[in-house]
Amino acid sequence: MKRREFSKSIALLGLGAQAGLVGNLGHAAENQESFYEEPVKKLPIRKFDVVVAGGGTAGIFAAMAAARQGAKTMLIETKGYCGGIAVEGGTAIHSFYNLYTAFENCTKRKVVQGIPAEFIDRLTEMGGATGYPEMETGLDYDSVCTAIDTELYKILAFRMLKDAGVFIAVNTLLAGAIVENSRIKGVITESRSGREAIMANSFIDSTGYGDLCAHANAEFNVLNDYDSCNSFGFANASIDDYYKFLKSNDALGHICRGPRSGEENKFVRMGAEQLNIPGFIDEAKKIGLSMVTTTVRDNYLMYVKCNFKVPGTVLDRDDIAQAEVEIRNRMAKAAELLKKYVPGFEKAFIARTSPSMLIRRGRQIVCDYDITHEDVIYGRHFDDDTFVYGFHDSAPQYQIKDGGTYGIPYRALCVKGIENLYAIGMMITSDLRAHMSTRNTVSCMGQGQASGTAAALCAKKKTGSRDLKYADLRRQLEKGKVYFEA
Ligand SMILES: Cc1cc2nc3c(=O)[nH]c(=O)nc-3n(C[C@H](O)[C@H](O)[C@H](O)COP(=O)(O)OP(=O)(O)OC[C@H]3O[C@@H](n4cnc5c(N)ncnc54)[C@H](O)[C@@H]3O)c2cc1C
């Protein structure tokens, strides 16, 4: 087996650390023939109750929930802001409601409430979100369209984390774990202040990639079953001209009207999957250009996405580097095509890109329970539900039965074999068809509130995640306004 293949097979087995050859993240520099042994260092120690690694879509809600329970909470985020893919790659935030528009006699319910809904309500008040306007077409896919302003979202995330009393460590990399037997004692961080050891009782991995789980030698799979992506904001564009053009070409897909730049009843979601302009469509397909987008601003498309399947894995530095170069070329081509062929975009320009490539799945972490596709589409509930969810991204092919919901059980967040670690966000659920539901934004947010609440309760009693009584967790989740079906 070649060196490169060898390092990838280690990642697949989750055995990097045990092998002791390539570092516990399971990737190695190519052609690495010799090794340098790092000198042992004494690191300064900080102590917390709860550590949340990754301040993205799920992580900020985990940190807020833990801190609101009174836990001394640290949030570790490698970038200079929080919000993750919700502010970097998304389109609409799916979904706070059940799919009530697709089924007769189905009651409309806001099925995810709690801190995520409080966040969107505050963002809407700031003019940074549409709230929950009903879709005009595409009613068998989602019932409402929650679109956001990426920059106001980042600002509000900081405000609410601060208000909750979270210690925010941005520009800080989670770089290691201190594990004794099957319990995490602490994590190692790296920032411009140097390396530090952060000790705590409970830990949450919300890095998307599963970095903390890998450092802690948890079991994981690398499934490589999605395209990766970058997305850009397209400014100086006329949304109304774009809409007219789509309409005259009979190319309107999913449409929603809502508040835009302070005015009601404007287009905030536009899908144009059937835009068959000769010269444009073949080139657009080649670069993986997605023609579904949202906005909450006049003259600005919040997200234009270019997809690309990374030929190796999204865990290999060199494969990622090649993909970053390719995707940025695709974004330049996308802007060129839109300006040339689509009225409304003649003078548009790229105003924002994501700082790095976005993944739909990195490591899939093995947890005590693996949510199945049947659980999702048959709307199953469990005796340890932490919240309920009702959206599937493959709808209308797969919808949750009768426009209902399924439960996210507590067990699905507990990392197998580790006493005090939760995995949340895109890392849970192995079945791709089930993951097409659990990975969506609002599900990740709900998992955040659930895990943060649980982690704080465990920290209070200095116990591991499996010692927590469900009744205690449920009581606190209900106090935190989490919605349950019964
Ligand atoms: C291109 C794209 C478009 C999508 N569109 C939609 C959509 O329209 N609607 C929808 O509902 N869902 C959509 N999704 C799915 C959804 O947005 C994601 O699944 C979800 O946001 C993932 O949240 P997360 O918290 O797991 O990860 P993230 O939001 O990526 O958060 C992970 C955070 O951890 C940080 N981090 C990573 N490693 C480290 C480390 N070692 N140390 C410190 N910090 C670290 C990252 O910087 C990041 O902030 C989309 C996903 C993608 C990729």
Side-chain angles (χ1 to χ4, degrees), residues 53-59 76-79 81-86 88-95 141 172-175 206-209 211 215 227-231 269 305 307 358-360 389 391 393 424-427 439-442 444:
T57 312
I76 301 164
E77 167 55 48
T78 187
K79 293 170 192 147
Y81 59 86
C82 289
I85 292 175
E88 292 164 355
T91 307
I93 298 207
H94 300 302
S95 183
Y141 171 70
T172 303
L173 180 76
L174 180 285
S206 44
T207 59
Y209 284 86
D211 285 0
H215 283 301
D227 281 353
S228 294
C229 181
N230 199 323
S231 104
R269 179 177 175 96
K305 290 183 283 193
N307 291 303
L358 307 164
I359 57 163
R360 291 181 168 89
Y389 191 57
F391 174 79
D393 199 28
I424 59 168
M426 70 170 100
M427 298 178 295
R439 76 183 180 95
N440 285 279
T441 321
V442 182
C444 294

Side-chain angles (χ1 to χ4, degrees), residues 69-341:
Q69 287 290 326
K72 193 177 169 202
T73 305
M74 180 178 193
L75 177 64
I76 301 164
E77 167 55 48
T78 187
K79 293 170 192 147
Y81 59 86
C82 289
I85 292 175
V87 296
E88 292 164 355
T91 307
I93 298 207
H94 300 302
S95 183
F96 284 88
Y97 281 81
N98 62 322
L99 192 53
Y100 66 90
T101 47
F103 297 86
E104 270 180 33
N105 306 321
C106 180
T107 344
K108 174 179 179 179
R109 303 184 308 276
K110 192 176 187 179
V111 299
V112 179
Q113 300 184 19
I115 310 175
E118 179 191 332
F119 184 92
I120 293 299
D121 291 347
R122 284 184 63 173
L123 194 59
T124 305
E125 271 167 35
M126 288 164 71
T130 55
Y132 315 98
E134 194 164 286
M135 297 274 282
E136 206 167 296
T137 58
L139 292 167
D140 50 1
Y141 171 70
D142 200 353
S143 298
V144 298
C145 172
T146 303
I148 57 143
D149 177 303
T150 57
E151 304 315 304
L152 290 177
Y153 191 110
K154 292 175 194 169
I155 291 165
L156 181 62
F158 270 160
R159 271 187 203 158
M160 284 179 64
L161 286 163
K162 274 258 159 235
D163 289 349
V166 175
F167 183 91
I168 306 169
V170 281
N171 300 310
T172 303
L173 180 76
L174 180 285
I178 305 161
V179 185
E180 267 179 35
N181 301 318
S182 56
R183 191 178 182 87
I184 303 181
K185 295 279 188 189
V187 296
I188 311 284
T189 60
E190 213 165 280
S191 70
R192 283 192 186 81
S193 301
R195 279 163 78 85
E196 291 171 285
I198 316 294
M199 305 303 187
N201 183 87
S202 311
F203 295 84
I204 298 170
D205 187 342
S206 44
T207 59
Y209 284 86
D211 285 0
L212 175 51
C213 292
H215 283 301
N217 299 331
E219 240 180 275
F220 61 83
N221 301 295
V222 182
L223 301 171
N224 282 326
D225 48 1
Y226 282 99
D227 281 353
S228 294
C229 181
N230 199 323
S231 104
F232 61 85
F234 211 30
N236 207 23
S238 167
I239 309 294
D240 291 331
D241 285 357
Y242 179 45
Y243 173 78
K244 277 184 216 147
F245 174 72
L246 293 181
K247 193 162 185 195
S248 63
N249 279 276
D250 210 12
L252 279 172
H254 292 178
I255 292 294
C256 183
R257 287 175 227 242
R260 198 177 82 200
S261 290
E263 263 186 81
E264 292 296 329
N265 211 28
K266 306 286 258 177
F267 291 101
V268 292
R269 179 177 175 96
M270 273 144 299
E273 296 299 4
Q274 317 87 352
L275 188 58
N276 215 348
I277 318 169
F280 173 84
I281 196 68
D282 290 341
E283 292 302 308
K285 275 186 189 152
K286 274 189 216 157
I287 56 166
L289 178 60
S290 161
M291 294 300 289
V292 181
T293 187
T294 56
T295 188
V296 294
R297 298 268 164 240
D298 290 342
N299 309 324
Y300 187 67
L301 287 187
M302 207 56 71
Y303 301 102
V304 178
K305 290 183 283 193
C306 286
N307 291 303
F308 176 64
K309 182 88 170 63
V310 177
T313 88
V314 298
L315 298 170
D316 183 291
R317 184 199 59 197
D318 302 339
D319 291 339
I320 300 167
Q322 282 184 30
E324 295 278 15
V325 173
E326 171 62 26
I327 294 176
R328 286 203 184 261
N329 279 329
R330 288 178 177 218
M331 291 198 287
K333 180 76 185 171
E336 206 179 281
L337 283 174
L338 290 168
K339 285 168 67 158
K340 184 168 168 191
Y341 288 99

Side-chain angles (χ1 to χ4, degrees), residues 22-36:
V22 293
N24 49 2
L25 294 187
H27 50 71
E30 216 175 343
N31 305 322
Q32 193 175 313
E33 299 298 343
S34 55
F35 295 90
Y36 168 73

